[in-house]
Amino acid sequence: MPRFAAALLTALLAAPLLVACGGDRDGGVTLHWYVKVEASGSYRQAAQRCSDASAGRYRIELEPLPQTSDDQREQLIRRLAARDRTVDIMGMDVIWTAEFAGAGWLRPWTGARAEQVSAGVLAGPLATARYQGRLWAAPLNSNTQLLWYWKSRTPDPPATWDQVISAAEALPRGRNQVAVQGGRYEGYTVWVNSLLASAGTQLVTDADRPARARAALADAPARRALAVIRRLATSPVADPGLSADTEVDTRQAMLSGAAAFSLNYPEVYAAVRDEAPALLPDLGWTRYPQVVPGQPSRPPLGGINLGISAYSPHPEQAFAAAACLRSAENQQVGAVRGGLPPTIAAGYDDPAVVRAFPFGDLLRASIAAAAPRPATPAYSDVSLAVQQVLHPPASVNPDKDVPELRRTIDDALASKALL
Amino acid sequence: MTEAPPQPPRTRRKRRPRAGRRTAWLLTAPAVVVMLAVGAYPVGYAIWLSLQRYDLRFPSQRGFVGLGNYAAVLGARVFWTDLGATAVITAIAVTAELVLGFAIALTLRRGLAGRRAVHAALLLPYGIITVVAAFAWQYAATPDLSFLSGRAWLGERWSSFAVVIATEVWKTTPLAALLLLAGLAAVPEELMDTAKMDGATAWQRFRRVMLPGIRPVLLVVLLYRTLDSVRVFDTVFIQTNGANGTETVSLLAYDQLAGRLNLGLGSAVSVLLFLLSAAIALGFVWVFRADLRELYRPRPVEPDEPDPEDVW
């Protein structure tokens, strides 16, 4: 036993030395790019292309992060809080910018570098990479949700949430679900945020000035937004498992035919194309529904930005590599192979992308109109507050919940309360 | 790392006990140091952190706040809700594990053909990693994936509890059964036979002969499982992540620490959970002190037995 302990101790002490030696073997440095697993392999391809193009300056190694945004963030912040020097480039969900920048975990993009990765980028995605007037990341992919439906069941696409639910309620049972992300995770906050913005209010005001940030939630619009959740969650067209549903479930509900509508990312299109091609001609899409009739909806804004860790020992190479990874060519590959919407506006006019996204114009318009989630360093706390007060969806009570949500979000912004 | 010390020369046979005691301390020192490093230090550090406002994302705001974090935790409704959920899971799961485990132990005691195979099969769920078991039961409770039913078990509060508890019971009952089976060995067959010959009914034999004999082991299993269950984390984390009011106290602590990096609040929750476990353990030991003493039934001490410290 003692001998085993000694061996273990030696191994533990020696391991970091071995890792430290591994880097500079072939002249160039190895850059570790932490990013979510991208099933089509387009990230891997981009990493390979950029490594080859660097002429030996660096080699990008993919370090896969978990599936959900919450899990990805947890792994990254644990490493960053521990000043992990093996993190160079991070594929950051658009909602992390303020938190990571505020904590001092990112190197800002400045000067010519900043110009290079901002030129021609859509305004919404670019804004998600900025915080307090500085650029903290390079937008890599954008994303938004569309309303997906079956043309044979709904010939005229509805424009408002009430119309969507009513149209579904008129359909036969078993084929009438309205599939939304109702699980207790970030996807639920995405839904809440877009409903609030579509109703004309928001979660937080002065988000980027921590000392002044407060819950917004104007009374009447907020109640109107929450009423949509309540109506859907208590309607027979809600999935009985709504309170556990993630994007995977809502996509599956479309594929299985149980859902008549789904609010979801373009992955739905790719899934139907690849797994149920016979259904593809029946698949319809339209803009995210309105809360107030006639008032344009504010769809969700997702996507990934590339940030450079403050603890990276190779910032120069990391900035160059990140700029390469988000190049127009690599965004095109991501769009065509992986269905990842570009952040460079001109990307949507690329013939190959137009073929991959028959709904490309709607996508670009939705991203332009999208409502970002609050850019506060305490964003993850705000999101927890939303989930705590408003989950499960069927428990939402607009009159009671609006003041409570306001109170809980103020607590979250102060980061002093238990959530 | 530590070789056995050389046998002391025979002349040291008459050493005073104090020197022997010092040797004993020296021998246990490495273990004590390791225990302090992996046990006491983290606990002490957590207590120290729990007295501070310390969020890794806002390092500039760090400061000593005394019991402020505890006030925030105890004043938050979510803490009490989570404590309630933990109590529900613990009470139902531990009761079910004891009853089922006892039933299984009694069956096994009867002696079956292929007893070894039965033992191995019985232990299988316990050998499965909790996370894997949690996923398996989650799939079983998900419509479309399930062979059970089309019901969305994890969509509502009480059915979510049912799935979590079923997973816990499925996984830990085998351990309870095996421990209880070992305990049953302490009740001699002859005693049961004698009771039978004396005309005791099956129920009387169970109540008056078997239960008293196995009581100490039963209590140890109860304590062990209660302490484990109060800290339940993996099953809930995987299956609901706390949705539908199934969040437990350890999940709450995890959210504050891993999700928010709020070391002050998270440590306060952890310390409270530690105190709760300690209180359960101490209270249990005190209430059942007589029964537990049975476990260590000491051999009668011979008056002229040599002092254990004087063995050299």
Side-chain angles (χ1 to χ4, degrees):
Chain A
M1 198 57 190
R3 209 165 284 172
F4 170 73
L8 188 70
L9 198 67
T10 315
L12 284 175
L13 289 174
L17 300 173
L18 292 175
V19 171
C21 296
D24 304 343
R25 203 165 7 99
D26 44 358
V29 299
T30 300
L31 299 173
H32 299 271
W33 178 23
Y34 283 77
V35 69
K36 71 169 179 183
V37 176
E38 202 281 298
S40 80
S42 70
Y43 286 168
R44 187 166 299 280
Q45 186 178 335
Q48 189 62 50
R49 276 164 67 155
C50 292
S51 302
D52 293 345
S54 81
R57 277 184 69 209
Y58 57 77
R59 196 167 56 80
I60 305 172
E61 202 152 285
L62 279 186
E63 306 286 352
L65 289 175
Q67 281 295 331
T68 72
S69 167
D70 297 330
D71 295 340
Q72 291 159 19
R73 175 180 160 278
E74 266 175 27
Q75 183 173 140
L76 278 179
I77 61 175
R78 229 173 286 163
R79 288 176 181 275
L80 291 166
R83 302 166 178 243
D84 184 344
R85 288 167 59 83
T86 69
V87 179
D88 298 297
I89 309 170
M90 295 179 284
M92 298 159 46
D93 193 313
V94 289
I95 51 183
W96 303 338
T97 310
E99 180 182 39
F100 284 25
W105 293 333
L106 293 174
R107 286 177 196 265
W109 292 68
T110 51
R113 266 189 205 130
E115 273 165 41
Q116 186 197 350
V117 297
S118 328
V121 173
L122 291 164
L126 186 59
T128 66
R130 303 183 69 87
Y131 175 63
Q132 293 186 335
R134 302 183 83 170
L135 185 71
W136 295 96
L140 173 67
N141 306 126
S142 189
N143 220 342
T144 191
Q145 295 181 5
L146 306 178
L147 174 64
W148 304 90
Y149 63 98
W150 300 112
K151 294 182 217 164
S152 57
R153 296 186 211 176
T154 316
D156 301 316
T160 70
W161 278 98
D162 278 329
Q163 288 169 5
V164 170
I165 298 168
S166 299
E169 283 171 349
L171 287 167
R173 272 194 96 93
R175 297 165 54 76
N176 62 354
Q177 275 178 21
V178 178
V180 295
Q181 290 79 34
R184 191 172 185 251
Y185 77 119
E186 183 57 31
Y188 188 59
T189 312
V190 169
W191 185 30
V192 171
N193 188 64
S194 274
L195 288 176
L196 288 169
S198 300
T201 183
Q202 52 184 343
L203 285 167
V204 177
T205 55
D206 286 323
D208 63 347
R209 277 176 288 178
R212 294 182 49 186
R214 292 285 178 279
L217 296 165
D219 221 45
R223 265 193 258 171
R224 197 150 185 183
L226 298 194
V228 171
I229 300 180
R230 175 156 191 86
R231 178 173 174 203
L232 177 58
T234 54
S235 157
V237 300
D239 177 10
L242 171 66
S243 67
D245 280 347
T246 66
E247 285 89 358
V248 178
D249 303 290
T250 55
R251 193 168 67 216
Q252 189 57 36
M254 281 303 273
L255 278 173
S256 73
F261 298 96
S262 175
L263 273 304
N264 217 324
Y265 298 97
E267 277 98 326
V268 167
Y269 179 82
V272 172
R273 183 193 61 202
D274 299 342
E275 291 172 46
L279 296 176
L280 195 58
D282 195 25
L283 182 67
W285 49 81
T286 187
R287 175 147 165 182
Y288 199 85
Q290 301 165 356
V291 171
V292 183
Q295 190 170 312
S297 68
R298 305 288 311 275
L301 184 58
I304 290 193
N305 298 328
L306 296 176
I308 308 301
S309 164
Y311 308 112
S312 163
H314 316 293
E316 289 304 314
Q317 294 93 329
F319 275 115
C324 170
L325 289 170
R326 53 70 66 195
S327 69
E329 301 78 49
N330 284 328
Q331 289 200 17
Q332 189 225 52
V333 174
V336 173
R337 278 187 68 175
L340 303 166
T343 53
I344 299 173
Y348 292 86
D349 303 322
D350 183 300
V353 176
V354 171
R355 271 197 302 282
F357 290 140
F359 40 82
D361 287 336
L362 174 62
L363 211 53
R364 181 162 42 181
S366 296
I367 290 169
R373 282 159 277 168
T376 154
Y379 175 74
S380 61
D381 297 15
V382 171
S383 183
L384 268 180
V386 168
Q387 292 163 38
Q388 201 174 90
V389 177
L390 299 181
H391 202 271
S395 75
V396 169
N397 176 343
D399 294 329
K400 203 173 94 311
D401 287 348
V402 171
E404 187 173 348
L405 184 57
R406 216 178 275 137
R407 202 167 42 241
T408 315
I409 287 180
D410 280 336
D411 282 349
L413 288 167
S415 90
K416 279 180 185 160
L418 199 66
L419 288 167
Chain B
M1 231 172 351
T2 48
E3 295 293 338
Q7 275 301 83
R10 285 194 144 266
T11 49
R12 289 176 70 183
R13 200 177 190 291
K14 291 209 163 185
R15 250 169 39 152
R16 275 164 308 178
R18 188 185 288 177
R21 201 170 294 149
R22 191 179 332 135
T23 316
W25 272 111
L26 277 174
L27 285 174
T28 50
V32 171
V33 168
V34 169
M35 285 301 288
L36 286 177
V38 303
Y41 172 71
V43 171
Y45 188 53
I47 293 172
W48 166 239
L49 285 176
S50 74
L51 302 176
Q52 298 176 52
R53 168 160 165 65
Y54 188 12
D55 189 320
L56 285 178
R57 296 167 303 169
F58 309 105
S60 62
Q61 298 173 14
R62 183 174 181 176
F64 188 81
V65 293
L67 297 176
N69 287 324
Y70 290 94
V73 172
L74 295 172
R77 208 175 55 195
V78 57
F79 177 75
W80 300 102
T81 317
D82 290 5
L83 197 61
T86 311
V88 167
I89 294 174
T90 303
I92 302 179
V94 173
T95 309
E97 282 159 20
L98 281 183
V99 171
L100 287 174
F102 204 39
I104 292 171
L106 284 177
T107 316
L108 285 178
R109 181 181 149 92
R110 303 225 147 197
L112 303 165
R115 187 190 278 217
R116 269 164 195 272
V118 173
H119 278 199
L122 189 68
L123 259 184
L124 215 57
Y126 190 68
I128 289 175
I129 298 161
T130 312
V131 171
V132 175
F135 271 120
W137 280 82
Q138 185 195 37
Y139 293 150
T142 308
D144 298 344
L145 299 174
S146 175
F147 53 90
L148 287 177
S149 73
R151 193 188 152 90
W153 285 84
L154 294 170
E156 280 165 62
R157 185 156 197 233
W158 292 106
S159 52
S160 299
F161 270 127
V163 177
V164 169
I165 290 169
T167 312
E168 289 282 303
V169 171
W170 178 78
K171 191 170 151 46
T172 346
T173 300
L175 181 75
L178 281 194
L179 289 173
L180 291 171
L181 185 62
L184 281 177
V187 185
E189 278 301 330
E190 306 89 73
L191 203 61
M192 295 293 283
D193 290 342
T194 315
K196 195 173 186 178
M197 273 190 281
D198 287 347
T201 62
W203 173 244
Q204 281 172 327
R205 270 176 283 147
F206 175 76
R207 277 276 330 256
R208 298 283 163 83
V209 183
M210 187 175 283
L211 216 49
I214 201 178
R215 211 173 124 112
V217 177
L218 201 62
L219 290 175
V220 167
V221 176
L222 177 66
L223 174 62
Y224 172 76
R225 281 303 304 143
T226 306
L227 287 180
D228 239 15
S229 197
V230 160
R231 296 173 290 128
V232 60
F233 177 78
D234 354 24
T235 309
V236 186
F237 180 66
I238 297 293
Q239 292 182 338
T240 65
N241 196 15
N244 296 319
T246 56
E247 187 171 89
T248 62
V249 179
S250 56
L251 200 56
L252 182 70
Y254 176 84
D255 279 345
Q256 314 307 313
L257 288 168
R260 301 176 68 195
L261 294 184
N262 197 323
L263 303 187
L265 276 177
S267 299
V269 177
S270 306
V271 169
L272 286 172
L273 188 57
F274 171 74
L275 292 178
L276 178 66
S277 303
I280 291 174
L282 292 176
F284 193 92
V285 168
W286 192 76
V287 170
F288 296 107
R289 55 196 183 282
D291 292 288
L292 293 171
R293 214 171 287 139
E294 277 290 286
L295 270 184
Y296 306 106
R297 218 175 295 156
R299 288 170 298 126
V301 180
E302 305 284 325
D304 51 4
E305 188 178 331
D307 186 343
E309 284 172 350
D310 208 14
V311 289
W312 307 118

